[in-house]
Amino acid sequence: MRLDKFICKSTTLELAQAKLAISQHQVQVNQQTATDAAMQVHENNHIELLGERLFARPSQYFMIHKPAGCICSNKDEAYPSVFNAVGLNPNEQLHIAGRLDADTTGLVLATDDGRWSFDITRPEQRCPKIYKVTLAKPITHNAIEQLERGLVLQGEAKATLPAMVNTLSATEVELSIYEGKFHQVKRMFAATGNRIKALHRQQIAEIVLDIAPGEWRALNQSEIDCFSST
């Protein structure tokens, strides 16, 4: 974790105030005065601010049911931030682990634990993301074979990892993927000659969306721990 973020996580200081304290030589790491706000520190380091040792607060983990028309950002932009849309104070530490497009609904995870979110998003962790996809045209057997084999998206050199497809109806499927490329699901179906009319994420690993649109809740310990074994 960056030193300035560690200070924010262990005090009431905001990021700019933490950087100022470091620049004014008020912070020591392992008995040495720190001058670099970006230096990496760990929980077992001895970190002091004005002679007082700092201890990071426990990390936070949230489930959000993202509605359409908002973005996975801490601040409002062209669309409102998902945090503001659901009434969850993002502070400067929370970030989204695995973003969704503005028009995509469903499960979003938010945390201030960078290592945890890294495990969710890296393909090597084999963490499945499950989507309900509503298509403009009926899906074909050839399209299913392409998705389950892996296909090369426009602008990409390597094929996608094999997906799992569960057909719900002629124009509705459940899709499970292990990656999170830019607009990946939409681009995958476009590559098969189809178009997505609605996209909804309903599960990440063992965490299943169980709250109403626009609501949020803290994750329980078993949900937090599930990524260590995916």
Side-chain angles (χ1 to χ4, degrees), residues 91-103:
N91 65 58
E92 291 187 314
Q93 298 300 305
L94 284 181
H95 61 272
I96 298 297
R99 299 185 174 194
L100 294 177
D101 300 335
D103 59 348

Side-chain angles (χ1 to χ4, degrees), residues 19-184:
K19 290 180 177 179
L20 180 61
I22 295 167
S23 69
Q24 293 180 340
H25 300 163
Q26 297 175 2
V27 179
Q28 287 196 323
V29 177
N30 298 330
Q31 285 74 54
Q32 299 293 321
T33 299
T35 58
D36 182 7
M39 75 175 294
Q40 293 295 308
V41 296
H42 305 279
E43 291 86 348
N44 59 348
N45 291 142
H46 188 105
I47 302 171
E48 295 183 353
L49 172 63
L50 294 174
E52 181 178 348
R53 184 169 184 183
L54 303 181
F55 297 92
R57 292 184 293 274
S59 294
Q60 296 177 294
Y61 308 87
F62 298 101
M63 167 190 293
I64 299 172
H65 190 152
K66 178 188 174 297
C70 60
I71 56 173
C72 291
S73 170
N74 288 52
K75 297 180 180 179
D76 294 342
E77 298 176 20
Y79 293 92
S81 159
V82 65
F83 290 110
N84 292 332
V86 303
L88 175 60
N89 180 10
N91 65 58
E92 291 187 314
Q93 298 300 305
L94 284 181
H95 61 272
I96 298 297
R99 299 185 174 194
L100 294 177
D101 300 335
D103 59 348
T104 302
T105 63
L107 176 59
V108 167
L109 301 177
T111 184
D112 56 3
D113 184 342
R115 284 175 293 184
W116 189 81
S117 59
F118 176 73
D119 280 342
I120 296 171
T121 54
R122 64 190 179 103
E124 297 83 1
Q125 190 74 353
R126 303 293 293 180
C127 172
K129 290 87 173 173
I130 302 175
Y131 297 82
K132 182 179 180 182
V133 186
T134 304
L135 298 166
K137 300 184 297 185
I139 191 167
T140 65
H141 291 296
N142 181 57
I144 294 173
E145 290 177 356
Q146 287 180 275
L147 294 165
E148 293 187 335
R149 182 173 60 245
L151 39 76
V152 178
L153 305 179
Q154 185 175 9
E156 301 279 347
K158 294 177 61 178
T160 59
L161 293 176
M164 293 180 61
V165 181
N166 178 27
T167 304
L168 305 177
S169 72
T171 56
E172 288 187 324
V173 300
E174 187 178 79
L175 180 79
S176 179
I177 62 174
Y178 296 97
E179 301 166 290
K181 298 177 186 289
F182 181 69
H183 294 320
Q184 179 169 343

